[in-house]
């Protein structure tokens, strides 16, 4: 049973702790797996104890959480799959940190290189459109292709 809030409590920011333990994701999942006659017998204090014993729910709440099983015909085994996608909340290891920095640098380098190539291509097309011929009787054929595409 919850007590009514005072005026001061109504204006305070809400805490991340779920006020009604029966609305907590972990507890809802647990009680959903139990027979309803048994699930209703737990007190809020017991449910808080169960939640603290199970620890923080760091494995739940993924953006995409798809799990399932499947079976191939003529094979007696069943297989399962798990596809999880979401923000990584774990601390990185030293190797993961190095790989993360390397991938960031590689991505930035690739983006700069692609931008430079696009800029050079744009300048070449602009030069050709203006009729500027830097090397007589030499062409990459890009301007001819652009003229074919756009008439």
């Amino acid at each position: 049973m919850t007590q009514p809030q005072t005026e001061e409590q109504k204006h305070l920011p809400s805490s991340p702790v779920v006020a009604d333990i029966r609305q907590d994701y972990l507890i809802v999942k647990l009680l959903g797996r139990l027979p309803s006659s048994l699930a209703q017998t737990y007190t809020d204090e017991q449910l808080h104890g169960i939640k603290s014993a199970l620890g923080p729910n760091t494995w739940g709440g993924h953006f995409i959480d798809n799990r399932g099983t499947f079976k191939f015909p003529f094979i007696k085994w069943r297989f399962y799959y798990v596809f999880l996608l979401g923000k990584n909340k774990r601390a990185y290891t030293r190797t993961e940190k190095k790989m993360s920095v390397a991938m960031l640098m590689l991505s930035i380098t690739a983006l700069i290189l692609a931008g430079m190539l696009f800029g050079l291509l744009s300048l070449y097309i602009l030069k050709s459109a203006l009729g500027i011929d830097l090397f007589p009787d030499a062409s990459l054929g890009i301007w001819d292709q652009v003229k074919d595409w756009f008439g």
Side-chain angles (χ1 to χ4, degrees):
M1 216 160 120
T2 60
Q3 296 179 345
Q5 291 182 337
T6 64
E7 280 300 315
E8 290 177 342
Q9 290 173 335
K10 288 181 183 178
H11 297 294
L12 292 174
S14 61
S15 65
V17 176
V18 177
D20 184 8
I21 188 68
R22 293 184 183 272
Q23 301 301 316
D24 185 84
Y25 174 78
L26 184 67
I27 299 300
V28 167
K29 204 166 182 183
L30 172 74
L31 295 178
R33 292 183 176 181
L34 295 172
S36 62
S37 60
L38 180 61
Q40 293 171 358
T41 61
Y42 285 105
T43 65
D44 287 354
E45 184 180 2
Q46 289 172 327
L47 293 175
H48 279 289
I50 290 171
K51 181 165 173 62
S52 66
L54 292 176
N57 183 9
T58 58
W59 47 263
H62 293 93
F63 179 67
I64 296 175
D65 185 345
N66 189 353
R67 303 163 193 249
T69 60
F70 59 93
K71 184 178 188 217
F72 291 114
F74 309 113
I75 298 178
K76 64 180 181 177
W77 300 313
R78 292 177 53 91
F79 299 93
Y80 71 92
Y81 67 90
V82 177
F83 182 75
L84 301 173
L85 181 70
K87 183 178 178 185
N88 187 6
K89 298 175 186 173
R90 299 176 299 131
Y92 288 121
T93 64
R94 183 176 300 203
T95 304
E96 288 174 328
K97 285 179 186 177
K98 287 180 182 178
M99 288 300 295
S100 178
V101 169
M103 289 303 294
L104 178 64
M105 291 298 138
L106 183 65
S107 298
I108 290 171
T109 303
L111 189 64
I112 290 171
L113 183 62
M116 288 174 56
L117 289 174
F118 181 75
L120 286 173
L121 179 65
S122 300
L123 286 174
Y124 180 81
I125 292 172
L126 180 65
K127 172 203 74 79
S128 298
L130 294 174
I132 300 171
D133 195 10
L134 298 176
F135 301 104
D137 300 328
S139 174
L140 297 176
I142 297 172
W143 179 243
D144 296 330
Q145 186 66 41
V146 171
K147 285 194 303 187
D148 288 344
W149 285 341
F150 297 107

